[in-house]
Amino acid sequence: KEIPADRNVRLTELWPAQIDTAREPFRINRSFKGLPLSIGHKRQQWGLGQWIESAITYDLGGQFKRFEVRAGIDAEGQKKISEARLDVEYTKFIILGDGRELDALRSIQFGDKPYLMDVDVTGVKKLTLMVLRTYPQGWLYGNICWGEPLLRK
């Protein structure tokens, strides 16, 4: 889909140039399990539902100035999680612009509030949203949400 020249754009309006996932595809405007998106039990109106160890890259063509997104773990209706998951689930969210780190959040856990990431993307041609685990026990990690991702002109 072509990028509109004269307005801000929800990232969910664009199709990724590249998708790298460790488990199944990402979801647009739904959680990884197909439920409404949320972070820390706060509903997100639109966004991306993903599994950890994944990256999504978009071709921006240098047309935007700012990128804003709320990042966090999507509880997907769960109120509590296991002690084992609490012990290891420290998730890292990274935003890359043309391969260069623009921002990163480390040690995000289940129940944390949405974290606002707001970065300068002036001149950025390729924007990548990456999620990594910090412990090897990937089976204990939950799903994540990039909430209300917006590109500003």
Side-chain angles (χ1 to χ4, degrees):
K1 185 174 179 179
E2 194 164 318
I3 296 174
D6 60 345
R7 66 174 175 88
N8 296 336
V9 174
R10 292 178 177 182
L11 197 61
T12 55
E13 295 179 71
L14 305 178
W15 191 251
Q18 184 172 342
I19 305 167
D20 297 306
T21 63
R23 180 178 161 191
E24 300 182 34
F26 74 105
R27 307 283 191 264
I28 298 172
N29 297 329
R30 302 300 285 173
S31 76
F32 185 74
K33 293 181 180 175
L35 302 170
L37 292 166
S38 67
I39 301 172
H41 305 291
K42 181 171 175 28
R43 177 89 162 83
Q44 303 298 299
Q45 296 303 309
W46 75 89
L48 305 171
Q50 273 183 273
W51 182 252
I52 54 162
E53 298 295 311
S54 60
I56 302 174
T57 300
Y58 293 86
D59 285 326
L60 301 185
Q63 297 182 49
F64 297 94
K65 293 184 177 157
R66 304 235 33 107
F67 174 65
E68 301 169 3
V69 66
R70 291 167 182 84
I73 306 297
D74 193 327
E76 295 191 296
Q78 289 182 286
K79 301 292 183 207
K80 293 171 68 175
I81 59 173
S82 71
E83 289 295 321
R85 181 174 165 189
L86 279 172
D87 287 344
V88 301
E89 185 181 52
Y90 295 93
T91 307
K92 183 176 179 181
F93 290 78
I94 304 165
I95 299 174
L96 301 173
D98 297 328
R100 176 177 56 89
E101 187 175 295
L102 302 177
D103 198 3
L105 294 171
R106 293 160 178 80
S107 300
I108 306 305
Q109 291 188 284
F110 178 87
D112 287 351
K113 65 178 176 48
Y115 288 91
L116 178 63
M117 300 174 85
D118 183 353
V119 296
D120 182 353
V121 292
T122 304
V124 168
K125 291 179 177 35
K126 294 200 180 284
L127 179 75
T128 301
L129 306 181
M130 184 180 296
V131 183
L132 301 173
R133 60 186 173 180
T134 54
Y135 284 88
Q137 299 93 329
W139 63 90
L140 290 172
Y141 281 73
N143 304 315
I144 67 90
C145 175
W146 294 100
E148 302 176 7
L150 184 66
L151 292 159
R152 294 195 179 276
K153 289 285 185 171

